[in-house]
Amino acid sequence: MSAAKLNIDELEAGYPLFCKALRLLILKGNSVKDIEKTVCWGHLETLNRCLPGRYKAPTYLMALIKRDIAKPNNYKKN
């Protein structure tokens, strides 16, 4: 069975979901190699390739998410 082909509008609409999936994969402890094989990674790569001014590379997003996980209290109110 082949994967459904999404157009760019559908990919843009799914961007928050792809980022959430990436975050969950990182939290679960999946290796970078395994994460790079996922559908969400592929969709994030496609968005970055087609609209690089609007969407960051998945590797950059992964670094941001890992930083956020490592320091969860960055935005603590005084």
Side-chain angles (χ1 to χ4, degrees):
M1 187 168 171
S2 65
K5 302 290 183 187
L6 300 177
N7 64 38
I8 196 69
D9 292 332
E10 293 167 329
L11 288 173
E12 285 190 283
Y15 180 75
L17 183 62
F18 307 144
C19 290
K20 184 175 182 177
L22 180 60
R23 182 180 193 84
L24 291 173
L25 288 166
I26 293 168
L27 285 170
K28 188 177 172 185
N30 289 45
S31 70
V32 173
K33 195 172 187 177
D34 287 340
I35 292 172
E36 289 175 349
K37 295 176 185 177
T38 63
V39 172
C40 74
W41 185 271
H43 290 337
L44 289 169
E45 279 185 326
T46 301
L47 283 167
N48 175 248
R49 186 175 51 251
C50 294
L51 299 167
R54 292 183 67 182
Y55 299 99
K56 302 293 183 196
T59 51
Y60 180 77
L61 294 172
M62 185 183 299
L64 289 178
I65 292 168
K66 285 182 176 182
R67 183 187 68 187
D68 185 49
I69 291 168
K71 296 185 180 184
N73 295 326
N74 283 347
Y75 303 103
K76 194 174 186 179
K77 292 182 180 180
N78 292 330

